Amino acid sequence: MSLGRGGAGGTEAGGGDKGSSVQNGGDGLKTLGSSTWHVGNVEGLKDISDILLPNLSVVLFGNSAAVQFGNENLLLGEKETNMKNAEISRIVPLQGNISECHISVINMIDLHEDEHEDNLIGQVENRSEIHAFVFVVRLGQFTDPDKMGLEWLQRVFGDKVLQFVMILFTYEREEECDTIKDDLKKDPVLEKLLEKCGGRYQTCNKMMNNQSEIRRLMNKIELLFNENKQCYTGEIQETEEPQKKTDCESDKASITRGSSESTTATGTEETCVVRAEAPANEFRTNKETITRSKPLLHRLHLYNHQNKLKASDVLQISAHSLQSHESCAEEELIQTFIQKLLMMNYRARYIKTKETNKENYTKQRDNDSSDEEGDIFKAMSLSNKGTNQSERMNPMDVQMAMFHCADGFLKQLMVTKLSQCQYALPLLVPDSFTQQIEFPLWTFRQINKSWKIRNTNNEAISQTLPIYKAETPMVSFFRFGSVSSSKSQLMNSLINEKHNTFFHRHCPGSSRTRVLMDGVVEIAWFCPSGSYDDKFTDCIAFCNLHGDAGNHEKQLQILTEMASVNVVLLPQLQRRDRSAAIIQNLYKDRKPLICLFTEDESTVVQMKKGKFKIGLKDRNQSDVSENLRRAINDCLSESSSTFRLEDVSKHSDIRVDEEDDDDCRRGKEAAQKMMSILDKKHLTEIKESFLPHQGKLWQLWSQNNKELHRPRSDELEIDISQKQVNLKKIREQQHAVNINTFIQLFIEEIHLQAENKMYFLKWLGIFLDECTSKHISVLHHKYDEKWSAVIKLKGNHDKSEKLKAEQTELEKVSEELQAATFGLEHIMREIGQIYESCSSVKKNKKDLQVHFTSLPSLAAEMMISGFPLELMDGDAAHVPVIWISAVLDELIQKLGDQRVFVLSVLGIQSSGKSTMLNVMFGLQFAVGAGRCTRGAFMQLVKVSDEMKTQMNFDYIIVVDTEGLCALELAGRSTRHHDNELATFVVGIGNLTLVNIFGENPSEMQDILQSVVHAFMRMKKVRLNPSCVFVHQNITDITAEEKNKEGRRRLQEKLDELTKLAAKDEDCDAERFTDVIAFDVQNDVKMMLKDLKDRIKDLWDALLNEGFVISFINSLEILAYRKLETEYNKWSWSLHSAMVETKNKLHNKIENEAIHEVEETDLQRELKKTSEEVEKAMSEFFEKDPDADILIQWKTSFENKIKDVQENFIKETKRKLNEIHQQRDLKKKTDDQRTHHENTLYEKSKELALNFKDKTNDEETLKKEFDLLWEMYMCKTANKMITDQHRKFREANDPVIYVKKKREEYYSIFQKYCNGATSAAIFCEIICQKLKEPIEQSVYKKTARDLADEMRSNCESLNGNRSNLEKHILKTLAEEEDFDKYMNYIHKPSDHFKSFIRDEVSRYITDKFSVSVLPKMKENIKLLQQKIMEAAHKSTEHVQVNRGDVGLWLKSFTQQLSDVLIFSEKDLSGVKHDDVDDFNLLNDVIR
């Protein structure tokens, strides 16, 4: 029977007008009224779609009262057929899209009452095939004519017609359907009717104009046909089914109860059948497979795809993909399956269809009759035979239907995801039409497998290989005949007892019928973990041939030839079995063979070496699995043969997908051409040799660019200009580098391979992975060894050279790992740097065969095709803004300025963030335990047209990042890099998924705090970032409740630290969400152009923000700033003490009390303060609440304090020795000054004694004194004027100095004239000499006191440098003085000094009366006390020692030498021999 030839009964597609005549075979017979239509465009369909369009021939019979004819009636049309004069048939044209298939409707309504019954029935019987008889019954009105109608059908067409009957209940009002359950319960006759018809029914309105209802009716008819596996023909009525009960009882080994394992191309019922006949010929098998496949594709809505399904068809955001589906409508099975598969849901194949009560209902009615009450036998007679099971779609049919209808890239994606779900993969797939076997090698190309084996030293060795390159043993499983045990289930027990790697009859959702799996060979690998309880010690391939192996000779041949061990299932072995010859040959072959007999009760029997027999009947599944495992291991130990996936393609008479596809083949050849350039080059040298533009020059440029944007405080404008020059030079050097042949060929192929560009890129990626995977696996093993050695040595507190050597080796291996990583992303990075270098120097490269401006277009096309684009180069820790902006411009040119939603992800290393994105969107971001590729990547995900309006954007841009907190990168500014990356990723996204691995939500808080702090400092970027925490790998079912407490604490902690950061940055933020929050209505408004600008602005801001991102979190930042404040206090204490020491020693030097200063002298003076600082530091680091954070800086700050102290001492020594030298240089001048003073003193005294008692006239005395003063000064000036430089003279000339003393000496002169004693005059001179030193001492002491006070009370000067800078910027903003801005930018050091000077001056002015003057008075009082005390002690000293005035003066000046610049030499010229009243001296000084 074929459904692909013109419809049933020979009716031509398309139909004709009403009343047209259709001749059946030209015999002139009158035909029944019939309707024929074609739905959907069947032209141009390709491959399986063409042949799987179902053609249904349906007979409608029953009472006309149940039907309303009319134009809208989709099945029967406008008028009731006049059966009494039915000389022609009507062909009713299609009124709408019903079920998208060819349908012929034969109208037999009321035929049982027609006089032409026999003639018309003959016409029906002559029609070759009828798919279903639809019995139309008015709902709730089951009448006697209705009963007669079914009896008539059974009488005319035979009892077997009942298995083709579907009851159609019609209604006028829809609410009538709600009573159908009650109708069935209340009417035993109706219930009996349903039972006779297998419980099949459908509801429909009387007009038959609801397309949805008619579609469901057609689907049910297709399911019915699928269950019957044949149409109704006249031959069925004339034959009876052979009785096979006796055969079943006599030969139980041949009995099967229909299951997924025993279903073959001809199908089985759930009744006893005998497999004694030879299989049907190939043509018949193909025909039957096609016949059964057509309705399957129709039910799955895969028939209307004129082209193969593409990956882009399923990798877009749709309404269906946004929901989780445990069950779905049948037409949604494909969408649901592929959605779950792309999300790597290991239960992807466990899908159920929704069952509605309106469509199916079979339930034991309530029976109130007393004679039936409690009669279990009568109750058991009721049946719902196959009602649901027969209609259930087998999940493997869904998978294989999708596989058949997919293009090469979607097939590869499917198989890759199947592998990630740990499912078995299609290895050999018969074509549904031709039955030609296909080997889909292309689909395996992106699959890598990892496993661990133990070497002879019992060490676990890791291996990672592309699976098509792996050479492993292979164990093949196949069966002959029908078996009661599930072969696939048995295989699962060997591979993974907890997961159904191979789908079997007992899996959820399985059904007894299976259309597309017979003859399919699936393969799966057991990958050992290196543990001692592994079932097998090596990686082993397991192949499973579905269906009866006797019907699939080619597949069986391939498996048995390539297997290391063959395992066959069969009921039992007898010589007359058609499989006996094959088993005999396998037994004779040298290859190991294991026979599993489902009807044998024996355990394990070794028939001979490598040949085992195991019975399965009535045995524990676990025991059987263990027996089989041991037998396989025993066989493998004797077998050296291995299996390699690529070798399957060597078999003849099979189709290899990648060889038959021209585009795939050409893409492969182009990629191989590129790979040939890399031959004989060591992997760790490839990037350096072939990708020079992204190497040292790019990394140097990146580093210099960051330094340019983060200048040191002491850097001059000339330094910044030099950096800009250096950046330009590096770009010029980059531009001068030749483009390697490898990159030239890549660019050439990308431009030439227009049609098969995707295949070329895929193949190149595959070959690069193949090239690197084995070497990287070795390096990872080497890294693990070195890491373990370092940990062991550290654990032993070993600080020897051996530890340093191991750490050096570890670092070397880490660098080799980075160098060995080579993929498409590095090629595109190189092209990006070629573009940036050309763009910077504004000219093309000589060896670039295209203009550099065309390069961004290549990257944009790759993004549109689904390839990720590197956003941040993780190796250089830099965003190539010029390149990224150009690519996004090209993207806008190609797509338009689309609305985008940027979704980024953040998480610590190996927390599963890339896997999460792959699961969410079906992407293929690189995943794995090794951290090779670094940085951030972005990928486009399209939003379906139906969702664009609802979601308000056209694309999602998914940003994946490298893992944070990588242990192997410690010591490489990892903290700085992680914070920088995190801030960039959170800032760029509309939403960031913060991936929490496990049950602890606090592990990411450190980085988030730094992100918040950075955003506060980068106010100009004006970002609105948001975060969502995602928890993975939570095993405890109560973990959600437990984590609420953790999340609450995390939120509180983040809020607390946000407040602290806000206070530190003068921001108005109270909560974490004030800085990072999400509002879907307001935030999702970004176009592609906006994204380009955001990337640039954010990266520029990050370049200028070097402080915050250097810390782990905000708490650490605040702790550090607290430490800075304390450090300033400690250093100020040392500074103050040193200044005081310096002043004291300065006085002594000037007083000639000391002649040289040594560092030991200063250390001794500073010892007390130094000890106090050390104690304060120790207490701070031990007792501060943040001690656990502060401890990391303890050593560095202790060293800083030591350095500060040493610098203070060295600087003070230098200055004091300079003072000493200056004192020596000024000694002559000072001596002259003293000589002049003393000479004038003596002359004044002599003159005063001459005028004593002669005159008291003030005018006369003044005149005489002036004359004396003028004569002396004139004489002295004439001698000095030519010897002194004018400026020096003004500052140091003793003559000028003496002139200033005129009034003082006149006062002395007056007192002598008035009879003052020598002691009194001497006291007056001392007081005059002390006046200036006292002033200087008071000024210095007051200045020091004010400095201490301002450090506490002056807002701009009371913190650290950051606080000072904040106030400087605030003042600049308030004053709006452009010149000051320029001074700040170009001469920051001068501006800082000027600002501090202004602040001090303003403080003194504002606080003079309340603070400055009181301090001066207090210091004067203190100094006065010291002077009086010195005078008193000196007087006592002289009296005790009977000394003279010289001894008194010496004692007095020595006691004041460390507080005043005042010594004996200041009075060396003043004669005081006649001074003997020491008490007077004491009293006058008081």
Side-chain angles (χ1 to χ4, degrees), residues 342-344 417 914-923:
L342 292 177
M343 294 176 67
M344 293 186 288
K417 295 294 183 179
S914 297
T915 301
M916 179 173 66
L917 292 180
N918 292 346
V919 165
M920 289 176 66
F921 300 103
L923 305 178

Side-chain angles (χ1 to χ4, degrees), residues 612 1106 1436:
F612 291 86
E1436 287 183 345

Side-chain angles (χ1 to χ4, degrees), residues 951-968:
M951 301 183 77
N952 294 323
F953 48 82
D954 306 296
Y955 288 88
I956 292 178
I957 292 184
V958 181
V959 179
D960 186 25
T961 62
E962 64 174 285
L964 306 175
C965 308
L967 293 176
E968 65 265 31

